[in-house]
Amino acid sequence: MDTVHQAQQQFKEGTVSAQELVQESFKTMDGWDPHIHAFLQRFEEEAVSKAQHIDAARQKKETLGLLAGLPIAVKDNIVTKTGRTTAGSKILESYTAPFNATVINRLEDAGAIIIGKTNLDEFAMGSSTEYSAFGPTKNPWNLSHVPGGSSGGSAAAVAAGIVPAALGTDTGGSIRQPASFCGVVGVKPTYGRVSRFGVISYGSSLDQVGPFARTVQDAALLLSVMAGQDEYDATTSNHAVGDYVAACQQASVKGLTIGVPKEFFEEGMSIDLAAVVRKAIAWFEEQGAQVKEVSLPLTSAGVAVYYLIAKAEASVNLARYDALRFGPMDLRSDDLLARYMEARGSGFGPEVKRAIIMGTYALSAGYYDAWYKQASKVRTLIRREYEEVFKSVDIMLGPVSPEGPFTFGSKTADPLQMYLADSLTVPISVAGLPALSLPCGSVNGLPVGLQVIAPHFKEAAMFAAAHTYEQAHDWWQQVPVLPQ
Ligand code: GLN
């Protein structure tokens, strides 16, 4: 599948119809998905019928939306009226939502066509998709390696060329890390930039929806359609949404001041991966940017602070899966407590149970001050630390993850090892900042991402810098080969 831009171009010129675009997606899915398992559901009938409508509207010369005919995939923790929304969990295996998430309405109003729902770690908790109740997704570049997570299905679907763009959610890195592992662009917007209405909550003060695409400009286009205030989500900001595509086109690196946090290259950082990232940063300097080392000493506290806050919020958000409001109703037990235990005991997987135990503990009387409150205080300090550095730099650059895609099973036995895979994405989430991952090379045939971090609501600056780098390199044109 082409990029969003190429698909749009061909559709506009009339060389391709919406039906052909959608059919090409399903054909690519037929080839790839038996190998990678990126999809939990496919919406063939609905997608083809929508494409027919769009083609008919074009015939009649009706005005079409910005994304008319574009096939997209959606992470299965974003509710859609079509099909089910499982959040990768057994407890929601048969859940059908009575409404669309705001992001879905906005994309569909612009003419995008959802071709299916993608795999994820259960309730978006994880960094490899191994915690999906429906089996893991595989990395299209090497099937014995994880695609990252939790939005592994969406990242793999774009990398394999099944769709030109997809939606993910990022609480602590779940868009950026799989984008890095799969060699595509993945964007986590500023907290409050995109509506969370209809997004199954993990950590409500951290969750954001964002796009995956092959190019920066494609991701910028999708974000500009999705972003903005929503009357159904009081945490959305009324900050004007920028013209992110124009920002890409006007971009220049000259005169840019770039900060490189030295702590992002310490502890546990792979030497090979660091070399690839440093080379990408050096390119910015060669092009006339001023690159300087900066320090974010609280980076090492990121994982502890993030996991305390995310799991505490998760334990509260997951209370609704009680077999009364949500969850299976066909239970054997009839006593209330026994029903809770049956539904939650068999419906939740290991990482979700860990979240409930850890989160409930951190919020309980007697422990709240020592854990949750303390973590919240450090959260404020982390945020201030970033704000301070951003007084003297326009953007920051660094790695997305301390190591590349790992092999299946190598981290599931030790949850802490899995948490450390997020050590360079979670501090940014805790600070509520926008950041993206874009391909900048590879190690042993597996992609490496460069993380671009910007001040609050400065997505335009982030896209501009990323686009300039991308256009001067050909990483985005490299695609994995379909296994035989
Ligand atoms: N791996 C992290 C976690 O489990 C991040 C997940 C996410 O961003 N949704 O919390």
Side-chain angles (χ1 to χ4, degrees), residues 26 29-30 39-44 46 115-117:
F26 286 114
M29 198 196 288
D30 287 338
F39 283 84
L40 294 178
Q41 294 170 77
R42 54 192 276 163
F43 300 156
E44 191 144 7
E46 296 84 353
I115 62 145
K117 302 289 286 283

Side-chain angles (χ1 to χ4, degrees), residues 75 124-127 150 169-174 202 306-307 311 422:
K75 186 179 182 180
M125 297 176 192
S127 310
S150 62
T169 61
D170 191 311
T171 304
S174 280
Y202 170 7
Y306 166 81
Y307 276 98
K311 301 296 179 197
D422 308 325

Side-chain angles (χ1 to χ4, degrees), residues 87-158:
S89 180
K90 251 186 87 175
I91 211 159
L92 285 179
E93 199 168 7
S94 53
Y95 173 67
T96 49
F99 65 105
N100 276 335
T102 297
V103 286
I104 299 298
N105 283 336
R106 291 192 178 174
L107 290 170
E108 286 193 334
D109 288 349
I113 300 173
I114 300 168
I115 62 145
K117 302 289 286 283
T118 57
N119 198 15
L120 67 155
D121 289 290
E122 185 175 8
F123 285 102
M125 297 176 192
S127 310
S128 66
T129 73
E130 287 167 291
Y131 292 134
S132 165
F134 308 111
T137 294
K138 293 178 179 169
N139 192 316
W141 291 91
N142 185 329
L143 302 180
S144 57
H145 289 68
V146 302
S150 62
S151 318
S154 286
V158 173

Side-chain angles (χ1 to χ4, degrees), residues 8 35 40 102 129 138 142 150 199 201 238 271 287 296 304 326 338 382 391 408 433-434 436-437 443-444 463 469:
Q8 274 184 313
H35 299 286
L40 294 178
T102 297
T129 73
K138 293 178 179 169
N142 185 329
S150 62
V199 180
S201 300
N238 60 6
I271 295 170
Q287 299 304 306
L296 296 162
F326 296 96
I382 292 177
K391 285 184 183 156
F408 286 97
L433 296 162
L436 63 73
S437 172
V443 172
N444 299 329
F463 284 126
Y469 174 86

Side-chain angles (χ1 to χ4, degrees), residues 305 308 368-379:
V305 168
L308 269 162
Y368 178 90
D369 283 355
W371 298 106
Y372 186 74
K373 204 166 155 194
Q374 186 67 11
S376 302
K377 285 182 182 166
V378 184
R379 176 181 200 169

